[in-house]
Amino acid sequence: MIMNITDISPWNLAAGYILFTIPLGIILWLHVPMFTQTIVSILRMTVQLLFVGFYLQVIFRLNNPWLNCAWLLVMIGVADISIIRGCGLKMMKFVLPLFVALIVGTSLPLLSFIGPVLKLPNLLEAQYVIPIGGMILGNCLRADIIGINNFYVSIRKAEKSYLNSLAQGARLREALRPFTGDAFQAALMPTVATMATIGLVALPGMMTGVILGGANPVTAIKYQIAIMIAIFSGTSITVFMAILLTVKNNFNTYGLLDHSIFKKQKRRSKAPDFELPPKQGEGFAQK
Amino acid sequence: MKPAPAIEINDLSVRFDGKTVIDTFSMCIEPGEKVIITGKSGSGKSTILRSILGFIIPYKGAIRIENELLTGKSVWKLRTCMAYVAQEPELGTGLAGDILSRPFSYRANLHLKGSFDNVPELMERLLLPNEILNKDIAALSGGEKQRIAIICAILLDRGIILLDEASSALDKAATLAILELLDSKKMLTVLSVSHDDKWLSFSDRIIELRGGSTGI
């Protein structure tokens, strides 16, 4: 690949910030209460990207497989916490199973992309692992927020219907299957829609990056197809595993959803807040 | 030898957010018995049914179904001994016919698929037209939903049926049709929450809850 991309000088980039005055002006004119939030977001974007830019320079220069893995794990950890916060769920019950789901869902397509597809001798080459891993992870994050939120919120909303399935003799897996299917569909729908319109509506990020990097459009298309395969399989694995692995922590032995997983502001009074015996064991009954 | 009670509850206490809803309640229902629970609103009638199904974990006490103690382990098997019809059944989404056939896809009910042949007869007995099976469940009236839920419960061929105000949205003719159907099943144990006089006269026994502390 020929790297002939034109660099942007700091002054030119700073001048680019002038464009922000248009949306900020509209926000002020319409009295939309998001001026401060937008300013904070712009500052965060700048600081975070500057930090990542410098950090990645170091990582690319060292190109140490362990350091690359560690950086990926940090990214996964941040995604993990963001997903749980985004879903309005309690951290402790989700942090570990979701972390495992994200590791598997990110690393499996990532290694397939770099190994069998790109045929790179070093599977942990920083130049590929970090940006491609980030793209897969970013999509997993979005899909997980939709999928997990949809799964737990719809069970809470349709709890009577869920309990009805249990009363009809369904095992936990059987009673949860329709909710899992709906959550999976909701999580993957944006990627399916993107795949259906890709190239027609807009040139996707990966392709644009490769073209800006100086490669010819056909190479860029091949990269884009490969990344879409990785994203779609990665999001599917993560969402499915996240639901599968979190269910064990969040349903009791009776198959009842633990309502304490929802943060206070999202709870509804209709939830059955029955009080458990002082010492809760396998069964409630005194033998 | 006397058969084991269908349902046996000993010293059941249920607390919600620190408030005792059921206080040391006991009852014993023999196989084939038709029992009605009455009592004013908030006296814990539905809570008893939901506790029997393992949907509420009691604070104290023991529940035995067909002589087996209800625990987090046994509940899965014991639920397959019972059928339940809620006051406002939420049966899921889809066509009424699909709703009726859905429970037969569960592993515990696979052997009951043959009983689905009884649907036309049960529909007729409960005064429901067959066309209803092709309608979306959301488009059905409360009374139609209740009857679909009762047909589903009967098709599951359980020994015990728990009914929570199961005919509250029905007219007199439809309620009597249900009572006649239940009465024809001599071996079926019925535990029903109801205030309806027609149900009270149908029952073998009436249990009256007085809220918090209970009396039989």
Side-chain angles (χ1 to χ4, degrees):
Chain A
M1 205 185 294
I2 314 152
M3 298 301 286
N4 59 356
I5 192 161
T6 311
D7 195 10
I8 305 175
S9 78
W11 295 113
N12 289 352
L13 183 62
Y17 273 69
I18 293 167
L19 265 183
F20 274 130
T21 54
I22 299 171
L24 288 172
I26 297 172
I27 287 169
L28 283 175
W29 189 61
L30 290 176
H31 297 288
V32 184
M34 56 185 287
F35 184 81
T36 316
Q37 194 188 351
T38 310
I39 296 284
V40 169
S41 294
I42 292 169
L43 288 174
R44 277 191 65 165
M45 174 194 76
T46 311
V47 173
Q48 282 165 201
L49 288 178
L50 278 174
F51 169 74
V52 170
F54 288 123
Y55 192 85
L56 286 183
Q57 261 188 338
V58 176
I59 284 190
F60 283 9
R61 199 178 306 131
L62 295 172
N63 199 17
N64 179 310
W66 293 109
L67 195 63
N68 298 345
C69 277
W71 180 243
L72 259 187
L73 285 176
V74 169
M75 285 161 65
I76 289 173
V78 173
D80 188 9
I81 292 164
S82 306
I83 291 166
I84 303 169
R85 283 200 182 139
C87 293
L89 297 165
K90 291 263 178 78
M91 200 59 76
M92 288 312 288
K93 296 269 182 115
F94 288 87
V95 73
L96 193 63
L98 201 53
F99 191 72
V100 174
L102 284 169
I103 285 184
V104 178
T106 307
S107 59
L108 214 70
L110 177 63
L111 294 177
S112 314
F113 188 106
I114 297 172
V117 178
L118 282 182
K119 295 264 181 229
L120 288 182
N122 177 11
L123 282 179
L124 296 170
E125 183 83 31
Q127 190 193 344
Y128 292 89
V129 162
I130 307 290
I132 295 169
M135 285 186 80
I136 299 171
L137 188 61
N139 282 278
C140 288
L141 182 143
R142 180 186 45 75
D144 267 351
I145 290 179
I146 299 172
I148 293 175
N149 197 48
N150 184 301
F151 181 73
Y152 285 100
V153 170
S154 45
I155 292 176
R156 187 177 57 170
K157 274 187 185 164
E159 195 155 30
K160 281 186 184 173
S161 163
Y162 166 71
L163 293 178
N164 187 56
S165 309
L166 295 183
Q168 289 174 332
R171 305 293 299 181
L172 183 63
R173 193 164 29 90
E174 292 170 321
L176 292 179
R177 193 173 295 147
F179 297 99
T180 312
D182 287 349
F184 195 70
Q185 187 184 1
L188 294 192
M189 209 41 114
T191 314
V192 171
T194 304
M195 284 198 291
T197 56
I198 205 160
L200 298 175
V201 177
L203 288 187
M206 175 84 170
M207 196 172 151
T208 310
V210 176
I211 290 173
L212 287 176
N216 76 49
V218 176
T219 309
I221 283 163
K222 286 189 235 168
Y223 267 83
Q224 189 58 47
I225 291 172
I227 193 71
M228 286 313 293
I229 296 169
I231 285 172
F232 191 59
S233 46
T235 47
S236 320
I237 295 168
T238 318
V239 172
F240 187 63
M241 276 190 73
I243 292 174
L244 218 64
L245 297 177
T246 54
V247 157
K248 202 175 177 344
N249 277 348
N250 302 318
F251 288 83
N252 65 16
T253 51
Y254 291 79
L256 307 178
L257 176 66
D258 176 3
H259 283 254
S260 70
I261 61 169
F262 299 104
K263 283 202 171 159
K264 284 261 191 265
Q265 66 269 25
K266 283 204 168 183
R267 291 184 67 184
R268 290 182 183 176
S269 54
K270 75 176 199 179
D273 287 334
F274 49 78
E275 202 168 313
L276 291 169
K279 195 182 172 187
Q280 174 66 5
E282 168 64 19
F284 60 83
Q286 307 295 312
K287 290 190 186 180
Chain B
M1 202 175 90
K2 196 184 166 197
I7 304 169
E8 191 183 359
I9 298 180
N10 291 312
D11 294 329
L12 181 78
S13 292
V14 178
R15 294 174 71 169
F16 285 95
D17 295 329
K19 190 183 167 222
T20 302
V21 176
I22 303 278
D23 188 15
T24 56
F25 173 78
S26 299
M27 73 169 189
C28 183
I29 298 177
E30 301 300 329
E33 219 181 345
K34 317 287 193 244
V35 177
I36 306 295
I37 300 181
T38 62
K40 59 183 181 185
S41 287
S43 59
K45 304 181 293 293
S46 300
T47 303
I48 289 177
L49 297 193
R50 289 163 59 79
S51 302
I52 292 170
L53 286 157
F55 294 159
I56 289 173
I57 304 174
Y59 188 71
K60 257 190 346 195
I63 297 173
R64 283 186 171 77
I65 311 294
E66 295 176 356
N67 216 23
E68 187 163 351
L69 188 72
L70 184 75
T71 65
K73 203 174 171 187
S74 68
V75 71
W76 300 94
K77 182 186 145 206
L78 293 178
R79 281 181 188 142
T80 65
C81 304
M82 303 179 267
Y84 171 62
V85 180
Q87 185 177 4
E88 290 164 8
E90 279 187 24
L91 306 165
T93 52
L95 298 179
D98 296 336
I99 298 282
L100 273 182
S101 62
R102 193 168 296 156
F104 300 95
S105 65
Y106 304 148
R107 197 202 274 186
N109 304 326
L110 285 177
H111 65 289
L112 294 168
K113 272 196 170 160
S115 73
F116 203 68
D117 298 339
N118 300 327
V119 171
E121 185 210 326
L122 287 168
M123 297 278 288
E124 197 184 332
R125 285 191 73 166
L126 297 193
L127 316 174
L128 280 175
N130 265 320
E131 302 83 74
I132 244 176
L133 295 176
N134 297 320
K135 281 192 181 173
D136 194 300
I137 195 80
L140 303 190
S141 69
E144 286 167 336
K145 275 188 208 166
Q146 281 186 332
R147 279 176 283 174
I148 291 286
I150 289 171
I151 290 173
C152 202
I154 297 287
L155 289 173
L156 287 170
D157 199 27
R158 312 293 202 221
I160 300 167
I161 188 165
L162 306 172
L163 305 160
D164 192 353
E165 306 265 15
S167 66
S168 57
L170 297 180
D171 59 22
K172 189 178 173 188
T175 306
L176 289 174
I178 290 169
L179 292 175
E180 203 173 286
L181 175 66
L182 295 175
D183 200 38
S184 69
K185 298 190 175 293
K186 297 297 172 204
M187 295 307 292
L188 181 67
T189 307
V190 178
L191 178 60
S192 174
V193 167
S194 182
H195 293 107
D196 190 332
D197 288 342
K198 294 182 281 300
W199 281 87
L200 299 180
S201 54
F202 150 84
S203 65
D204 296 326
R205 188 152 58 98
I206 298 167
I207 295 173
E208 193 187 346
L209 295 189
R210 291 182 202 131
S213 65
T214 58
I216 300 176

